[in-house]
């Protein structure tokens, strides 16, 4: 007891000095979590990065040279982007008006719950269902033929459009819910204010909602893009994994688990990460051109 | 596109009703507002005053009745077609626009050419004394400044009608007083017809030409501040106007306009405000008007608490039957002391039980 | 009025898109369910007859008993560990300002921003090298990478809305950090923790990529087993694969419905700005 008192008389103890900087027992609670991410995310990533520079042929950039020298490999980047970009954009463009409509509804819960379903079902189940539903004898083609809209069944499976549809089905709910949370985060009195000042629905959207939503939409785009970009199961199950939908994740998977070339697989994973990072940085970079403060009427 | 910037003689609310599912928020409002008037809608929370304002603004559709500007029907128009100005409780400034852009928004929506727009925005900025803040974002302003931007944004379009929804409730006491004067000054210089919603009787009394007291979705009383302050027509209104003491008594007679009321054995005199079917009645007295008589007359109380209030003392006394009375005293009193309280007959309002 | 026709058309178009989406989604799910109960289904609207035998077949063929047990163990461990690691970290991040806070936040965001396949491959490589590849432990560890940051990010706003004076009061009355956590904070945070963990549960059941990359024959969860079954279709009867899909669907749906009693759906994906009301 007296020692503590003496310590105080001399000046702040180490503990007090640390506490003044915000470090005390409670702060240490963050450590296990940080350790986990460092150990299971950062370390593997760095390990993968190192490994990617140790290809089987011994040269430093052998893997990367092989990837960018082989159209069958580097083509996967474009195949992936050709899927991920339009899907994400389409999902976003559909999600915005629907979110605006749902925002006005009083019973949002049922609809949002229905829309959440595909997220929890996951890509595997959706792909499995699509094999049936969109198959030549599936209900989709039967219904369209019965309605006289089709004379022969259309085949969306085993190709670009199969994966496209599966990504829309599984990705839309995610995009929608994110968009909805941003849309409902905007103070409704801003819309009222704009209305009383003479702005019609279109002007309100253009002048008030859109500028306030852009930062959120940019984030939504990035997160949805990440989902669409890492497509693996549907590309295999309802796509054409050797051709039109040979996406980069298939290439990485094959390198790792079919050729057992972990070095090459790591290199592809790194390229995949880099491409994705480029897109995210580009989108978020555009975002910084817009207003980024709180979207709920600023309070003093 | 809008009916804005036109003048009018009278705004009529004719039986305006608003229902939310089973709940009736407005039970048929009838009110005529003259051009240039400053009207305060006063009432406790949940009385329907904000609902009424939103119906006038067009933010809520009316469930029944009509809103007329002279002989033009406006309740069928959408808010953007009405051309009214509105100041919101939380200001509702567009956070992504500078002060100048915020103020110019309404003019831009009306297609006002740029040079004129700039000129009018400058004038509005000057009117609210924010010239130096024009290029800032709302988030960088203080609450009072934001409020002034909100007012400037509403008045710059020269609307026939300005609606204000508790605009001062988010400000601290000192700022509220300043802004009150500011609103008064702006109203006087522009002469715009204003409907001002508040739950603060002081605000209503100091700002309004006429006060409309609302209760449970219906109008209780309409009158000038002086009328309402001196002679509220209802016990509710009296309650709102600071008649904090309410004592039950028995009517024992009338002398001219004055009623004689027996309160726990003491007869006091007061103005009869609402008739009574039986002998039961309530006397309403402001604490400031109730003072120790220093004589044998008056209602006897035992002093429970005394507080120093600068100019004098504020006392709380309890009558024999346990009714609490708040009163003013020019001199300090001991706790537990027995005093008799009385007030001028003109300051005592007697309300019968017939509502 | 011209405008009102336009706006009505617009509303109609929006609802039409919603309807189209839901009809196809429901059709898709119904196809799987119908098929799993059908006897022979070729070129007709409905199967020739209905039976439940595919469920028994699927149970035996795919060793669903084992798979479900593995799924249960893996998901349970992930949920528990995410809660134990994530909630205290969220508390520290919500309540303290310390020098490296921004760096820590970024560190936690990364696993949510990078697709699982991208970090899953190096992670699987490391886990295999450490001898954990193909084991249940490996599956659990891999799944913790996205779930722990998720719990942290969902819980931070939840903790921030609790008045810090409550904790201060507990400390003043002599509770140490641990006691304060157990007696004061946890009960107040329970709805939020429950919500976050239920979402972790749903996400982990459905997490395909990480489990797929890390798991071995004895550590497959239901969703991975389903993938292999669909991938290798032709070997087995389609209907028993569908039966398995239905079983999978039911496991996630039950939890989803439970979760939605506590959570606003936007929380499943968002940062949970408005925690369960």
């Amino acid at each position: 007891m007296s020692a503590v008192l003496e310590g105080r008389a001399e000046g702040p103890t180490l503990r007090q000095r640390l506490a003044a900087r915000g470090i005390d027992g409670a702060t240490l609670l963050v450590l296990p979590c940080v350790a986990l991410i460092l150990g299971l995310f950062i370390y593997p990533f760095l390990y993968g990065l190192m490994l990617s520079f140790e290809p089987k042929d011994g040269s430093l950039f052998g893997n990367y040279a092989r990837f960018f020298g082989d159209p069958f490999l580097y083509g996967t980047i474009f195949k992936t982007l050709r899927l991920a970009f339009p899907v994400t954009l389409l999902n976003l463009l559909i999600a915005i008006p629907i979110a605006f409509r749902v925002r006005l509804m009083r019973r949002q819960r049922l609809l949002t719950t229905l829309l959440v379903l595909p997220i929890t079902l996951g890509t595997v189940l959706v792909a499995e269902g699509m094999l049936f539903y969109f198959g030549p004898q599936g209900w989709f083609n039967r219904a369209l033929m019965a309605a006289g809209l089709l004379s022969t069944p259309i085949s969306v499976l085993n190709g670009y459009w199969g994966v496209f549809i599966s990504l829309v089905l599984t990705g839309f709910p995610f995009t929608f819910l994110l968009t909805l949370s941003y849309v409902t985060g905007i103070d409704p009195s801003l819309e009222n204010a704009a209305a009383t000042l003479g702005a019609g629905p279109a002007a309100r959207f253009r002048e008030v909602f859109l500028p306030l939503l852009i930062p959120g939409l940019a984030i939504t785009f990035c997160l949805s893009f990440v989902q669409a970009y890492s497509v693996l199961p549907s590309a295999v199950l309802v796509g054409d994994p050797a051709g039109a939908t040979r996406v980069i994740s298939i290439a990485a998977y094959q390198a790792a688990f079919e050729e057992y070339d972990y070095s090459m697989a790591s290199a592809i994973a790194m390229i995949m990460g880099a491409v994705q990072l480029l897109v995210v940085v580009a989108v978020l970079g555009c975002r910084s051109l817009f207003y980024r403060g709180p979207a709920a009427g600023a309070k003093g | 596109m809008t009916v804005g910037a036109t003048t009018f003689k009278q705004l009529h609310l004719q039986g305006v009703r608003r229902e939310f599912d089973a709940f009736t928020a407005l039970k048929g409002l009838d009110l005529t507002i003259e051009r240039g008037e400053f009207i305060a809608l006063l009432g406790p929370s949940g009385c329907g005053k904000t609902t009424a304002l939103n119906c006038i603004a067009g933010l809520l559709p009316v469930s029944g009745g009509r809103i007329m500007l002279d002989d033009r029907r406006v309740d069928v128009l959408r808010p953007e077609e009405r051309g009214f100005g509105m100041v919101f409780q939380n200001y509702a400034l567009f956070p992504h626009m500078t002060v100048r852009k915020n103020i110019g928004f309404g003019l831009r929506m009306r297609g006002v050419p740029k040079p004129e727009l700039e000129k009018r925005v400058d004038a509005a900025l000057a009117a609210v004394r924010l010239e130096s803040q024009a290029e800032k974002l709302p988030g960088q302003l203080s609450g009072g400044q934001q409020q002034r931007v909100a007012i400037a944004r509403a008045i710059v379009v020269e609307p026939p009608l300005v609606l204000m929804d508790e605009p001062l409730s988010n400000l601290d006491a000192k700022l509220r007083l300043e802004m009150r004067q500011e609103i008064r000054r702006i109203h006087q210089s522009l002469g715009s017809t204003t409907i001002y919603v508040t739950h603060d009787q002081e605000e209503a009394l100091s700002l309004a030409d006429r006060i409309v007291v609302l209760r449970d979705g219906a109008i209780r009383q309409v009158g000038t501040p002086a009328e309402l302050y001196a002679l509220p027509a209802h016990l509710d209104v009296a309650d709102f106007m600071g008649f904090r003491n309410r004592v039950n008594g028995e009517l024992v007679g009338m002398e001219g306009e004055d009623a004689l009321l027996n309160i726990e054995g003491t007869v006091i005199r007061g103005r009869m405000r609402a008739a009574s079917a039986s002998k039961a009645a309530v006397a309403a007295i402001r604490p400031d008007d109730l003072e120790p008589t220093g004589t044998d007359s008056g209602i006897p109380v035992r002093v429970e608490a005394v507080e120093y209030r600068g100019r004098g003392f504020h006392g709380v006394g309890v009558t024999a039957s346990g009714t609490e009375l708040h009163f003013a005293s020019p001199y300090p009193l001991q706790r537990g002391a027995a005093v008799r309280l009385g007030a001028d007959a003109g300051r005592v309002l007697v309300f019968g039980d017939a509502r | 009025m011209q405008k009102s026709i336009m706006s009505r058309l617009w509303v109609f178009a929006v609802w039409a898109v919603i309807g189209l989406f839901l009809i196809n989604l429901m059709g898709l799910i119904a196809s799987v369910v119908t098929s799993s109960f059908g006897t022979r289904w070729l070129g007709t609207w409905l199967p020739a007859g209905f039976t439940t035998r595919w469920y028994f077949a699927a149970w035996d063929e795919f060793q669903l008993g084992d798979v479900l047990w593995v799924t249960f163990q893996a998901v349970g461990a992930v949920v528990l560990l995410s809660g134990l690691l994530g909630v205290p970290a969220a508390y520290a991040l919500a309540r303290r300002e310390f020098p490296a806070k921004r760096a820590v936040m970024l560190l936690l965001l990364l696993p949510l921003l990078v697709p699982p396949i991208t970090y899953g491959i190096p992670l699987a490589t490391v886990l295999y090298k450490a001898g954990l590849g193909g084991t249940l432990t490996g599956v659990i560890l891999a799944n913790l990478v996205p779930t722990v940051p998720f719990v942290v990010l969902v819980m931070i706003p939840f903790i921030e809305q609790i008045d810090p004076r409550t904790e201060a009061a507990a400390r003043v009355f002599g509770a140490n950090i641990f006691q304060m956590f157990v007696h004061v904070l946890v009960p107040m945070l329970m709805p939020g923790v429950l919500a976050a963990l239920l979402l972790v549960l749903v996400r982990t059941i459905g997490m395909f990529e990480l489990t797929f990359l890390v798991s071995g024959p004895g550590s497959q969860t239901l969703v991975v087993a389903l993938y292999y079954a669909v991938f290798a279709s032709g070997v087995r009867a389609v209907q028993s694969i569908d039966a398995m899909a239905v079983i999978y669907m039911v496991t996630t749906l039950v939890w989803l419905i439970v979760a939605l009693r506590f959570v606003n759906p936007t929380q499943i994906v968002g940062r949970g700005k408005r925690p369960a009301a």
Side-chain angles (χ1 to χ4, degrees), chain B residues 225-243:
Chain B
E227 282 167 8
L228 259 78
Y229 189 78
L231 292 172
H234 274 267
L235 199 51
D236 297 336
V237 182
D239 206 28
F240 229 84
M241 287 292 146
F243 289 81

Side-chain angles (χ1 to χ4, degrees), chain B residues 280-302:
Chain B
V282 179
I285 314 165
R286 285 201 177 84
D288 282 349
D289 296 330
L290 194 62
E291 289 194 327
T293 54
T295 65
D296 284 350
S297 64
I299 309 163
V301 295
R302 190 167 43 80

Side-chain angles (χ1 to χ4, degrees), chain A residues 20-34 36-45 47-49 51 94 97-98 101-102 105 109 111-134 137 139-140 142-143 146 168-170 172-174 176-178 180-182 184-185 200-201 222-223 226-227 229-234 236-237 249 252-253 256-258 262 265-266 269-270 272-274 276-277 280 284, chain C residues 3 10-11 14-15 17-18 21-32 34-35 41-46 85-86 88-93 96-99 104 107-108 110-119 121-129 141-142 144-145 148-149 152 171 177 181 202-203 206 208-209 212-214 223 226-228 230-231 233 238 241-242 244-246 248-249 252-253 256-257 259-266 268-271 273-274:
Chain A
R21 300 200 60 191
I23 298 171
D24 63 6
T27 319
L28 300 181
L29 294 173
V30 86
L31 289 183
C33 181
V34 169
L36 180 97
I37 302 301
L38 286 178
L40 292 176
F41 183 77
I42 300 294
Y43 170 71
F45 223 105
Y47 178 83
L49 188 64
L51 197 62
I94 304 176
I98 295 183
R101 194 106 304 272
V102 168
M105 288 168 50
R109 223 172 165 90
L111 184 62
T112 36
T113 303
L114 282 174
L115 291 173
V116 170
L117 276 182
I119 296 187
T120 51
L121 296 181
T123 45
V124 178
L125 193 117
V126 168
E128 150 76 358
M130 281 179 66
L131 289 177
F132 250 96
Y133 181 68
F134 288 107
Q137 292 298 330
W139 284 344
F140 180 78
R142 289 191 150 269
V168 169
L169 280 175
T170 48
F172 170 74
F174 182 85
F176 166 72
L177 289 178
L178 267 182
L180 181 66
S181 75
Y182 283 111
T184 50
C222 287
L223 292 176
V226 167
Q227 303 264 315
Y229 182 78
S230 65
V231 40
L232 175 65
S234 55
V236 175
L237 297 179
S249 48
Y253 175 75
F257 297 99
E258 284 172 17
Y262 290 112
S266 298
M270 292 305 135
M272 198 174 157
Q276 190 229 321
L277 201 67
V280 170
L284 293 185
Chain C
K3 258 189 173 171
W10 175 245
V11 171
V14 170
W15 279 111
V17 172
I18 296 178
F21 181 86
L22 288 181
I23 285 175
N24 282 302
L25 179 67
M26 290 305 144
L28 195 150
I29 293 172
S31 297
V32 176
T34 312
S35 163
W41 192 8
L42 285 172
T44 48
W45 279 97
L46 287 173
L85 290 170
Y91 174 76
L93 288 167
R96 296 286 187 276
E97 287 300 328
F98 51 93
V104 172
L107 189 68
L108 291 176
L110 276 178
L112 298 178
L113 275 176
V114 179
I117 287 273
T118 312
Y119 63 83
I121 286 174
L123 176 60
T125 315
V126 168
L127 286 175
Y128 271 106
K129 214 179 122 227
L141 284 177
L144 284 177
V145 176
V148 170
V152 174
R171 299 296 295 275
I177 281 246
F181 229 91
V202 173
R203 286 170 71 123
F208 170 73
E209 284 89 348
F212 174 64
L213 292 175
V214 173
V223 67
L226 179 62
Y227 172 84
Y228 280 121
V230 179
F231 185 67
S233 60
V238 181
I241 298 173
D242 287 326
M244 182 170 167
V246 172
Y248 165 74
M249 200 149 64
T252 54
L253 284 189
L256 176 70
I257 288 163
L260 287 177
R261 291 196 63 81
F262 295 94
V263 207
N264 183 340
T266 47
I268 293 179
V269 295
R271 276 193 45 178
K273 278 188 228 155
R274 269 149 305 181

